[in-house]
Amino acid sequence: MYHKNSMATASLIFGILAVLSGSVFIVAVGLGALSVLCALLSRTDRHLSGKSLAGMLAGIFAAVSSCSMTAYSFYSVMHNPQARAYYSQIFSTLLEQYGLPDSYNFFDDGSGSTSDDQSGTTPDLNDGNDNHQSNEDYFDSLYDDYFRYFYGADPYHEETPAPSAPSVDSSQGDFI
């Protein structure tokens, strides 16, 4: 009996975690599947306890809602010319960086160009800043800015010396 009750509890826990991680597709579907599996393993004489039923319903809800959110996101991107061109450009850059053929770019509409239907121009990752030579330089500068923000120093050059232990003379033998 203890084994079945622990499976029902595990089903409820996995169901709750699946609902909480609903926007992360892989995690929500995986936890939802574990929730359903634990619920089915916890049944006794063809009956589900309240915990296992709640866990199974939460897991199914999380998996279905996560799948529908993911499908709607892809639908929105594929039917918005500006977003599709933007993601096509990013994906082409990644494919080029890793030496993969451009045929893997599922954002590309097949015309060979990522032009925008509304303005006729390809959106640039530099967001209009002409002081960056390439997208790689742009992302490097973003990294540098975030590094300076969090650590207060240049990521490549240490401007301040590392703190040193106090000398014995200045502390007069007391450990500070």
Side-chain angles (χ1 to χ4, degrees):
M1 183 72 179
Y2 179 73
H3 172 70
K4 301 291 184 182
N5 192 19
S6 62
M7 282 292 171
T9 304
S11 173
L12 183 62
I13 290 171
F14 285 137
I16 291 171
L17 289 175
V19 169
L20 292 176
S21 65
S23 63
V24 182
F25 176 72
I26 299 294
V27 175
V29 171
L31 288 173
L34 284 173
S35 174
V36 170
L37 179 68
C38 288
L40 292 176
L41 291 175
S42 73
R43 68 183 168 162
T44 57
D45 297 330
R46 295 184 175 243
H47 296 289
L48 290 174
S49 68
K51 277 196 244 183
S52 60
L53 184 62
M56 185 168 71
L57 291 176
I60 291 171
F61 171 76
V64 168
S65 65
S66 180
C67 288
S68 62
M69 282 190 296
T70 303
Y72 180 74
S73 297
F74 277 115
Y75 175 81
S76 297
V77 168
M78 296 309 265
H79 286 81
N80 183 346
Q82 287 178 321
R84 188 171 181 171
Y86 179 76
Y87 286 112
S88 178
Q89 183 181 5
I90 291 174
F91 213 68
S92 291
T93 304
L94 285 173
L95 291 173
E96 181 180 313
Q97 183 178 4
Y98 290 108
L100 297 172
D102 207 32
S103 61
Y104 290 139
N105 189 350
F106 56 89
F107 291 111
D108 195 7
D109 58 0
S111 65
S113 67
T114 58
S115 64
D116 185 11
D117 292 339
Q118 294 175 352
S119 65
T121 61
T122 302
D124 190 15
L125 292 177
N126 292 337
D127 295 331
N129 295 334
D130 292 332
N131 57 350
H132 301 291
Q133 284 80 23
S134 69
N135 292 334
E136 186 176 321
D137 291 339
Y138 175 70
F139 289 119
D140 285 345
S141 70
L142 281 179
Y143 170 76
D144 294 347
D145 292 341
Y146 284 121
F147 192 92
R148 282 187 198 96
Y149 176 76
F150 286 113
Y151 297 106
D154 189 13
Y156 303 109
H157 305 292
E158 188 173 318
E159 296 174 2
T160 58
S164 60
S167 66
V168 177
D169 296 334
S170 65
S171 64
Q172 298 168 355
D174 295 332
F175 183 74
I176 300 176

